[in-house]
Amino acid sequence: MNRSRVVVIGAGIVGCSLADELTARGWTDVTVLEQGPLAAPGGSTSHAPGLVFQTNPSRTMTEFAACTVRKLSSLEDGGTPCFRPVGGLEVATTEARWADLHRKAGLAASWGVRGALLTPRQCKRLWPMLDETLLHGGFHTPDDGLARALPACRAQMARAVSRGARFLERHTVTGIERADGRVTGVVTDRGGFPADHVVSAAGFWGPVIGAMAGVDVPLLPLAHQYARTAPLPGLSPANGPGEEATRPILRFQDRDLYFREHHDRLGIGSYAHRPMPVDPPPVFGRRGSRRRLHKGGRYAMPSVLPFTADDFAPSWQDSVTLLPALGASRVAEGFNGVFSFTPDGLPLLGESRELRGFWLAEAVWVTHSAGVAKAVAEWMTDGRPALDVHECDLHRFEDAQRSPAYVAERGAQSFREVYDVIHPLQPMAQPRPLRTSPFYPRQQQLGGYFLEGGGWERPHWYEANAPLAEDLRLPERDAWSARYWSPIAAAEARATRERVALYDMTPLRRLEVTGPGALGFLDRMTTNNLRKKPGAVTYTLLLDETGGIRSDLTVARLAPDRFQIGANSPADLDWLLRHAPSDVRIRDITPGTCGIGVWGPLARDLVQPLTRDDFSHQGFGYFRAKETYLGHVPVTALRLSYVGELGWELYTTADLGLRLWDTLWEAGREHGVIAAGRSAFNSLRLEKGYRAWGTDMTDEHHPYEAGLGFAVRRDKDFVGRAALDGAPPVTRRLTALLLDDPAAQVLGKEPVHLDGVPAGYVTSAAYGYTLGRCIAYAWLPATLTAGTGVHIEYFGEKLHATVAEEPLFDPDMTRIRC
């Protein structure tokens, strides 16, 4: 039995679920502190409407919700189930929404959620109050339903207590104790509690608890309107004695509304109103609590704010339009309930590096509560969750994304977009521009079309190249795949294959690792051999102890004790810092540097005249590095190519970035140089089969499944090797597919059908302009061989595709190694 002392702050649905999960795993010394009464803690759990819709663009969030359904379906409180599988029904009143429901049906099939598209008449059978003449159709998910949050808390609380946990109400946390970088305890207004681990599951009080621990919690509390109608006689016959709801949860997302039954009344939730940010409510503890009185003398919970009827008025009219019977009713009561929103709308999970033993399980709704609790419990007890959670990692945000102003703007935007149809490439509106490379003025002059990622402005194509696209004959795209795309991308891809192009690589994360222990540390942390002479560049992997791929890296050894790493996310820096010994220094040098990829068959003709160093294949081989000068600019040159063409990544300091661009641009004029964007870049990298971590593979995948076994050296010791040695035979594989129809296009996350049954899902996809076909990579059974036919479901249409040999382009690498 584990002797770790755990204190969980917050007895809402997440805190109770976590106590249950931890004690089930043998961690029984668990104390849950709640500032309010346990019967109704006062946070979001206490007023949550309990909707559980599983389907989500994120596979991780879908699995969190599915886990919540499974767990709560097994729980009872007082003989009543804690989950009622009434199902879910989303209706479309516009063509755009109806198309999106087809896309959502594809997501459900990809992630294993049962669902079916319905006609308007079928929708009305499920919800007789609907005006079916307004509908294009609906999407029905029979396994979704209503979670009874407070009973679920009680049921899990009882199980945790039976295993040794304790729950203490009316304990207001006033401080987090720490020593030598570790948490040591929690201080409350009723005494202290020593702890080896502290978990903040405090909901919208999370930033307050985080501040006590010195840990930033980028979370914004926002109010969300919920109203109940007067009794509606039409509801009564459907609900038997004691049955609160029998009809599916209804979502009218075209007007940002949802509906659920409360016996003979309807509950109506609205995201249509203005964002209403709130400060964390007053303390709801034992002493000095300032609780407001509702009419009739009932105490209001801190998470329940007064209903603002004027904000709800348009939503009431929209509700009456969809459900005409409401015209004879009225809003009997309502409130503005507080929920937590992050800049990207996803939870904040994981252990702080700054204060070891301090964990976050924040910005979690009832929908995902049990799944999140399971993942965090696995993380604490086993060292990692079984499910990939990189989208929710608390370290995923850049420093530039953590300012209060950024969190407020993006949190409010997340609220506005809860029910919006969001394209995979759609950027947030504000604040932009935030992070720009030194080349940004030149990119603007060339008519760069910018999207955003990690706060960076990223050019996807340049209008200056439009004349190059005039003679292209490309298949016509559907409206969805044509969004955030231009035929100019095809021209830029062709120019890269035929001449030379400049790509902005500045947003690529760069880490500098130095010190006497740097080589030994990096060699132990990664899978490939790094014990090479200075000047070598190595492609390698970061694995966890289970052999899962945490990231892929390029490591350039620039000096005996100095390395430059091309990494993926802030979590890579966090992982290395957690493991680094005292004689190793790691710095994120991305903000102070910049980079240009110079690629194409004429890349050497462009670069060589600018330097006295030998850039021939013999003098500067593939996967080699040099520190040199191009004109007046000192650069670190890495002979790498992510697009399958001859070339280099060239890095310099930010102050010299514009000079580097201008130097290359002027030298490239005689060679027909262009600037090219990420749209062409993504197409070219898929033609070569280059993987993108976080999209094509995560820590749920092993290198041999992902086709990256070449980056693993079994003759050395590294983190995760033991797991790879004992790994079972590969049963799934990241597989290249070519769509048979030259006009067909998919974007990613679509289900792949084999013999009429979903067998996997697409990760990355893009049109291969060199090949004249759309390329899709997908996780599929390892038994599939080249030439096998499959179908990819795209907006309800089954598109023929064929398993292809890799790489699809230049298999002998003659274009790169020249």
Side-chain angles (χ1 to χ4, degrees):
M1 183 175 293
N2 189 283
R3 300 294 181 185
S4 295
R5 300 165 299 177
V6 180
V7 173
V8 179
I9 301 172
I13 189 69
V14 178
C16 291
S17 296
L18 181 58
D20 182 42
E21 295 287 342
L22 287 172
T23 55
R25 288 166 171 78
W27 284 35
T28 57
D29 191 349
V30 176
T31 300
V32 181
L33 301 175
E34 173 52 53
Q35 64 176 342
L38 291 173
S44 301
T45 298
S46 302
H47 65 72
L51 282 64
V52 180
F53 279 87
Q54 297 172 81
T55 307
N56 189 288
S58 164
R59 177 175 168 272
T60 297
M61 297 300 284
T62 297
E63 181 53 35
F64 282 162
C67 180
T68 300
V69 169
R70 291 192 297 269
K71 184 173 187 181
L72 269 57
S73 295
S74 70
L75 297 175
E76 291 186 351
D77 177 64
T80 303
C82 292
F83 182 80
R84 185 163 183 79
V86 296
L89 176 63
E90 302 175 52
V91 295
T93 59
T94 64
E95 289 281 2
R97 183 68 61 180
W98 183 225
D100 191 59
L101 292 187
H102 283 76
R103 184 175 70 103
K104 186 165 286 187
L107 288 171
S110 289
W111 312 146
V113 177
R114 287 201 305 152
L117 293 165
L118 304 183
T119 66
R121 180 168 294 182
Q122 290 172 318
C123 293
K124 190 171 180 65
R125 289 196 193 107
L126 292 174
W127 260 87
M129 293 173 66
L130 282 167
D131 180 355
E132 66 179 301
T133 65
L134 300 177
L135 306 184
H136 291 269
F139 178 53
H140 181 226
T141 45
D143 300 322
D144 291 339
L146 293 168
R148 299 173 64 234
L150 288 176
C153 285
R154 291 193 293 268
Q156 293 179 96
M157 190 185 310
R159 292 204 308 199
V161 168
S162 71
R163 303 184 191 114
R166 57 176 174 168
F167 286 72
L168 303 176
E169 64 180 4
R170 302 190 187 279
H171 280 64
T172 300
V173 174
T174 58
I176 305 295
E177 295 184 318
R178 47 191 142 162
D180 301 322
R182 284 203 62 89
V183 69
T184 59
V186 175
V187 180
T188 77
D189 60 346
R190 301 180 70 169
F193 298 85
D196 304 299
H197 298 273
V198 172
V199 185
S200 177
F204 50 85
W205 283 283
V208 177
I209 301 299
M212 295 178 189
V215 174
D216 179 45
V217 181
L219 174 159
L220 179 70
L222 285 159
H224 159 59
Q225 290 200 299
Y226 193 77
R228 293 195 192 198
T229 68
L232 293 165
L235 291 181
S236 302
N239 297 336
E243 291 184 339
E244 185 180 8
T246 58
R247 294 185 178 91
I249 310 160
L250 178 64
R251 290 207 283 190
F252 182 20
Q253 292 171 299
D254 288 322
R255 290 295 182 269
D256 298 305
L257 292 167
Y258 63 83
F259 307 84
R260 58 151 295 181
E261 294 172 292
H262 293 281
H263 300 290
D264 61 348
R265 302 168 184 256
L266 276 189
I268 307 173
S270 173
Y271 292 100
H273 55 81
R274 61 190 168 89
M276 303 178 190
V278 298
D279 291 327
V283 169
F284 190 44
R286 180 176 64 94
R287 299 188 182 96
S289 62
R290 291 172 286 170
R291 295 180 292 176
R292 303 177 308 280
L293 283 174
H294 274 321
K295 292 178 181 179
R298 292 187 292 112
Y299 283 113
M301 293 178 292
S303 62
V304 175
L305 305 179
F307 188 63
T308 51
D310 288 346
D311 288 307
F312 192 76
S315 291
W316 176 252
Q317 293 304 316
D318 289 332
S319 300
V320 172
T321 299
L322 184 70
L323 306 171
L326 292 181
S329 186
R330 61 184 174 82
V331 174
E333 60 181 348
F335 62 90
N336 292 359
V338 184
F339 288 90
S340 301
F341 286 80
T342 59
D344 60 7
L346 296 171
L348 297 168
L349 310 179
E351 182 189 22
S352 167
R353 185 182 69 255
E354 294 81 4
L355 183 60
R356 300 294 180 91
F358 183 81
W359 296 76
L360 294 184
E362 296 291 10
V364 183
W365 294 4
V366 171
T367 304
H368 309 106
S369 56
V372 163
K374 179 175 181 288
V376 173
E378 290 169 343
W379 211 338
M380 296 174 69
T381 60
D382 302 332
R384 60 151 286 176
L387 181 69
D388 164 54
V389 296
H390 82 272
E391 295 173 311
C392 308
D393 192 303
L394 67 93
H395 301 97
R396 68 187 181 272
F397 295 116
E398 307 280 353
D399 289 343
Q401 297 173 299
R402 290 179 170 274
S403 71
Y406 185 96
V407 173
E409 284 192 64
R410 289 293 170 98
Q413 188 71 16
S414 292
F415 177 90
R416 293 187 194 97
E417 294 181 347
V418 165
Y419 279 171
D420 284 1
V421 176
I422 302 295
H423 192 277
L425 294 176
Q426 183 173 328
M428 287 280 196
Q430 295 294 335
R432 291 184 63 194
L434 181 62
R435 306 176 80 187
T436 60
S437 79
F439 323 131
Y440 187 62
R442 299 294 183 264
Q443 293 168 339
Q444 288 181 302
Q445 292 169 4
L446 292 170
Y449 183 89
F450 296 91
L451 300 180
E452 185 256 7
W456 288 103
E457 293 297 316
R458 300 184 177 197
H460 276 240
W461 64 84
Y462 295 88
E463 290 297 329
N465 297 325
L468 301 178
E470 291 175 355
D471 64 337
L472 295 179
R473 296 294 178 264
L474 298 173
E476 186 175 347
R477 288 200 170 206
D478 65 277
W480 186 251
S481 65
R483 289 182 67 183
Y484 306 107
W485 173 84
S486 168
I488 296 172
E492 293 176 357
R494 185 171 72 173
T496 306
R497 291 275 188 244
E498 295 178 354
R499 299 192 305 278
V500 62
L502 306 185
Y503 288 83
D504 185 357
M505 300 299 289
T506 303
L508 174 69
R509 181 168 305 280
R510 290 171 294 286
L511 308 178
E512 182 184 72
V513 181
T514 57
L519 174 60
F521 166 65
L522 290 174
D523 200 50
R524 184 176 68 256
M525 294 299 295
T526 66
T527 59
N528 215 336
N529 176 31
L530 300 186
R531 296 185 179 276
K532 302 171 184 176
K533 294 179 180 179
V537 182
T538 305
Y539 177 81
T540 188
L541 307 174
L542 281 180
L543 305 185
D544 61 24
E545 294 289 353
T546 71
I549 304 171
R550 284 194 58 92
S551 190
D552 63 338
L553 313 173
T554 54
V555 181
R557 191 177 188 187
L558 303 179
D561 295 338
R562 180 165 61 90
F563 297 80
Q564 180 172 306
I565 296 176
N568 285 297
S569 75
D572 294 346
L573 174 63
D574 175 69
W575 178 258
L576 293 173
L577 287 172
R578 286 176 186 272
H579 291 85
S582 59
D583 60 349
V584 173
R585 184 183 181 210
I586 304 172
R587 289 196 307 134
D588 185 348
I589 61 173
T590 312
T593 57
C594 59
I596 299 175
V598 183
W599 291 308
L602 301 182
R604 184 176 286 116
D605 298 309
L606 189 160
V607 174
Q608 182 62 81
L610 299 174
T611 178
R612 296 180 181 181
D613 280 317
D614 185 0
F615 270 55
S616 70
H617 185 60
Q618 294 74 25
F620 197 158
Y622 191 52
F623 267 83
R624 299 293 297 173
K626 281 187 180 182
E627 293 182 293
T628 184
Y629 287 86
L630 295 182
H632 298 91
V633 182
V635 299
T636 299
L638 310 181
R639 190 169 168 201
L640 305 174
S641 177
Y642 207 53
V643 300
E645 295 292 338
L646 169 68
W648 289 265
E649 293 178 6
L650 304 171
Y651 296 102
T652 191
T653 52
D655 61 318
L656 290 168
L658 202 57
R659 185 61 178 263
L660 175 61
W661 179 281
D662 290 343
T663 298
L664 294 169
W665 189 260
E666 186 60 34
R669 286 182 182 275
E670 64 179 289
H671 305 295
V673 70
I674 67 161
R678 292 188 65 84
S679 186
F681 181 89
N682 197 46
S683 170
L684 296 169
R685 71 102 179 167
L686 283 177
E687 290 184 334
K688 283 298 293 180
Y690 294 145
R691 277 63 167 148
W693 185 85
T695 301
D696 295 316
M697 72 278 190
T698 68
D699 62 8
E700 290 186 27
H701 306 110
H702 289 190
Y704 300 104
E705 299 174 319
L708 298 176
F710 67 88
V712 178
R713 288 288 298 266
R714 301 298 278 267
D715 59 352
K716 59 169 259 189
D717 188 31
F718 56 84
V719 172
R721 179 187 163 174
L724 292 186
D725 290 343
V730 171
T731 59
R732 60 181 177 177
R733 199 179 302 277
L734 188 60
T735 305
L737 303 174
L738 281 175
L739 276 74
D740 296 352
D741 182 354
Q745 177 71 52
V746 299
L747 297 183
K749 300 187 178 181
E750 296 88 358
V752 181
H753 297 261
L754 180 64
D755 298 327
V757 178
Y761 59 91
V762 174
T763 57
S764 292
Y767 199 84
Y769 301 111
T770 314
L771 304 176
R773 294 286 190 280
C774 181
I775 305 161
Y777 272 79
W779 282 102
L780 290 170
T783 53
L784 298 188
T785 57
T788 303
V790 299
H791 291 89
I792 302 176
E793 183 179 340
Y794 181 72
F795 285 90
E797 184 180 357
K798 301 289 179 60
L799 306 177
H800 294 270
T802 303
V803 175
E805 291 279 4
E806 290 190 85
L808 304 172
F809 176 78
D810 189 26
D812 297 325
M813 304 284 281
T814 56
R815 300 176 71 91
I816 295 178
R817 300 177 185 274
C818 62

